[in-house]
Amino acid sequence: MAALRTRNRSFLGRLSLPERNFIADALRTETVGGVLLLIAAITALAWANIPVLRSSYESISHYHIGPTSLGLHLSIAHWAADGLLAVFFFVAGIELKRELVAGDLRDPRAAVLPVVAALCGMAVPAIVYTVTNAIGGGSLSGWAVPTATDIAFALAVLAVIGTSLPSALRAFLLTLAVVDDLGAILIIAIFFPHGLNFVALGGAVVGLAVFWVLLRKGVRGWYVYVPLALVIWGLMYNSGIHATIAGVAMGLMLRCHRHEGEEHSPGERIEHLVRPLSAGLAVPLFALFSAGAAISGGALVDVFTKPETLGVVLGLVVGKTVGVFGGTWLTVRFTRASLSDGLSWPDVFAVASLAGIGFTVSLLIGELAFEGDAVLTDEVKAAVLTGSLIAAAFATVLLKIRNAKYRALCEDEERDEDLDGIPDVYEQDDPAYHLRMAEIHECKAAEHRRLALLKSAGSDASTDTDGTRL
């Protein structure tokens, strides 16, 4: 029994430092975060659609906890959407700040292409949804649902498929997704308020001001900032503005440029610490309690027949691709902007289709747009999942084709036929190289002729004059 208790204590005990660092580093990669998100979504769908488990999913999702006196007696699903997702938006705010002060968004000339691509990639899906529902007589409330790109999923697909793709392609997608996140944040803040409470909003603003002053004074310590962040979040929630805006605001306030002698800025350090929490807990739990739509054969048919759901699918698959690619092409065509070295238009088209993966934020906006209509909310969730799956599959095919081309180019660049330790591509302008290659080809041709003669002689020696074998 003592040995058993020891094993149990070891199993349930704290991880060793190497194990903890390994798990944290894994959660910081787009691939692992995207896989966890996918696993959570599949689990939610299975949990919500298996008859014997469906009631437990609904019971847990709608179970309320939290202090009623503070206006925070929320369901588990609500806590995941408004609470945990604030952590994701906090990290997104830091990423946006870093791009603004040290990344591609700092230089307007470098930022113009992904920024215009992101804006067009939000406008065109909204237009596609609106036109579809205007023609079909559906609700226009969900126009914003297909406007968002899921940065975790999109970068995970690119990381898994695009092993040989140019690094400029990932930078383009990352910048596009950051701007897309900012657009989604503004849409949530402006178009989906819930009865503004100016007292709570004023308190949240004061809390943010205190947060900013403490940062500028160099005050350090999680025991100062975590309680303050919780207060700001609670006030923002009660103000009627979506509580995730608090996370974005605090992320944007962090300093992301390095002072002399600093190895990492405060924003970089905090993002490094918080990203595993976001990728490993916050986003998967949100997906677990948001993606659980009841899906049947009839529901899948409705996705392509009802104007609201069809508008979401077309917005993600068609609108995103046309918007991102079209915005990029028009900008290059009519301005001095140009594609990064090493990129081509098929690459941009593949990334444009990848931007149609609108999982996390699209689900959130869908819940806000159709709040109070549980049936339509579930149908829109199914449409988001369907559209994201189609976009991911289409983008995967295109990226695999482009990846195969770039892999072949890499192999050509590394080829060393003369075995002199220098890739042949670097010797093509050297006259001695051409002479050496001609000699090699001549030697190979002579060897082939010699082998052919030997084979012919052997064939003649093994047969008699009438052609029969001896």
Side-chain angles (χ1 to χ4, degrees):
M1 290 297 293
L4 179 60
R5 284 197 298 271
T6 301
R7 286 198 298 270
N8 285 341
R9 187 163 58 249
S10 177
F11 172 74
L12 295 174
R14 184 170 54 189
L15 294 174
S16 67
L17 183 60
E19 291 171 333
R20 188 180 67 185
N21 289 341
F22 175 79
I23 293 173
D25 289 340
L27 290 173
R28 292 185 183 101
T29 63
E30 291 90 359
T31 307
V32 174
V35 169
L36 288 176
L37 189 56
L38 180 61
I39 291 173
I42 293 173
T43 302
L45 287 171
W47 194 359
N49 286 278
I50 296 175
V52 295
L53 300 176
R54 184 180 304 156
S55 60
S56 65
Y57 180 80
E58 294 177 353
S59 298
I60 294 175
S61 296
H62 296 107
Y63 181 78
H64 281 64
I65 57 174
T68 305
S69 59
L70 298 178
L72 296 174
H73 189 64
L74 311 177
S75 67
I76 297 295
H78 211 158
W79 275 110
D82 282 359
L84 289 177
L85 208 58
V87 179
F88 166 78
F89 277 101
F90 175 70
V91 174
I94 299 175
E95 288 181 335
L96 178 59
K97 179 67 174 290
R98 189 178 66 246
E99 288 294 321
L100 288 169
V101 301
D104 289 339
L105 295 180
R106 180 181 60 176
D107 183 359
R109 291 174 298 178
V112 63
L113 273 183
V115 168
V116 173
L119 294 177
C120 293
M122 299 185 76
V124 175
I127 293 171
V128 169
Y129 178 93
T130 302
V131 170
T132 303
N133 281 269
I135 295 173
S139 171
L140 300 181
S141 300
W143 63 269
V145 175
T147 60
T149 295
D150 190 295
I151 184 173
F153 257 154
L155 289 174
V157 171
L158 186 64
V160 172
I161 303 299
T163 54
S164 299
L165 292 173
S167 58
L169 198 62
R170 184 187 183 279
F172 180 87
L173 176 61
L174 180 60
T175 308
L176 182 151
V178 169
V179 178
D180 189 282
D181 278 346
L182 176 61
I185 292 163
L186 293 175
I187 287 173
I188 292 171
I190 296 171
F191 295 100
F192 298 103
H194 293 279
L196 289 179
N197 181 331
F198 289 100
V199 174
L201 181 59
V205 171
V206 171
L208 288 171
V210 173
F211 188 87
W212 184 83
V213 169
L214 292 175
L215 289 173
R216 292 301 173 271
K217 294 292 184 181
V219 176
R220 305 184 67 172
W222 65 268
Y223 47 84
V224 174
Y225 290 103
V226 171
L228 179 59
L230 292 174
V231 170
I232 294 170
W233 176 86
L235 289 169
M236 188 68 74
Y237 175 82
N238 282 286
S239 73
I241 295 177
H242 202 270
T244 53
I245 303 301
V248 178
M250 287 183 281
L252 287 171
M253 288 182 180
L254 292 174
R255 177 170 59 83
C256 291
H257 62 275
R258 301 174 188 176
H259 287 166
E260 185 177 355
E262 279 187 336
E263 185 178 357
H264 301 289
S265 67
E268 290 172 321
R269 290 197 304 269
I270 293 173
E271 181 190 2
H272 187 77
L273 291 172
V274 177
R275 183 176 288 278
L277 177 63
S278 172
L281 181 67
V283 176
L285 281 178
F286 167 76
L288 182 65
F289 292 107
S290 294
I295 298 176
S296 61
L300 291 175
V301 172
D302 288 343
V303 166
F304 297 98
T305 55
K306 295 190 70 170
E308 293 89 353
T309 51
L310 180 61
V312 170
V313 173
L314 291 179
L316 290 172
V317 177
V318 179
K320 274 290 185 181
T321 304
V322 172
V324 172
F325 183 80
T328 307
W329 185 86
L330 289 172
T331 305
V332 172
R333 176 68 177 81
F334 295 106
T335 70
R336 293 183 178 181
S338 60
L339 292 179
S340 300
D341 294 339
L343 291 187
S344 61
W345 287 112
D347 300 328
V348 178
F349 188 78
V351 167
S353 62
L354 188 62
I357 302 176
F359 188 78
T360 305
V361 183
S362 288
L363 287 175
L364 175 61
I365 295 176
E367 292 181 351
L368 296 174
F370 297 104
E371 189 175 13
D373 190 337
V375 174
L376 190 52
T377 298
D378 279 350
E379 291 173 342
V380 168
K381 286 182 181 180
V384 169
L385 296 173
T386 303
S388 297
L389 181 61
I390 294 172
F394 183 51
T396 297
V397 172
L398 295 178
L399 288 171
K400 286 183 73 69
I401 294 172
R402 301 303 299 167
N403 196 64
K405 177 183 176 181
Y406 283 109
R407 187 186 299 117
L409 289 175
C410 291
E411 291 173 354
D412 286 341
E413 289 187 355
E414 296 299 324
R415 185 174 291 114
D416 183 19
E417 291 189 4
D418 54 359
L419 303 177
D420 64 351
I422 302 175
D424 298 337
V425 69
Y426 295 103
E427 302 176 304
Q428 290 178 358
D429 295 330
D430 184 2
Y433 165 78
H434 293 291
L435 178 61
R436 208 161 46 245
M437 291 305 296
E439 292 173 350
I440 292 172
H441 289 311
E442 179 59 32
C443 289
K444 288 182 178 179
E447 180 66 14
H448 288 154
R449 289 194 297 270
R450 187 180 69 82
L451 291 174
L453 288 172
L454 288 175
K455 183 177 180 180
S456 176
S459 176
D460 292 341
S462 63
T463 58
D464 62 9
T465 56
D466 63 359
T468 60
R469 189 169 294 275
L470 295 177

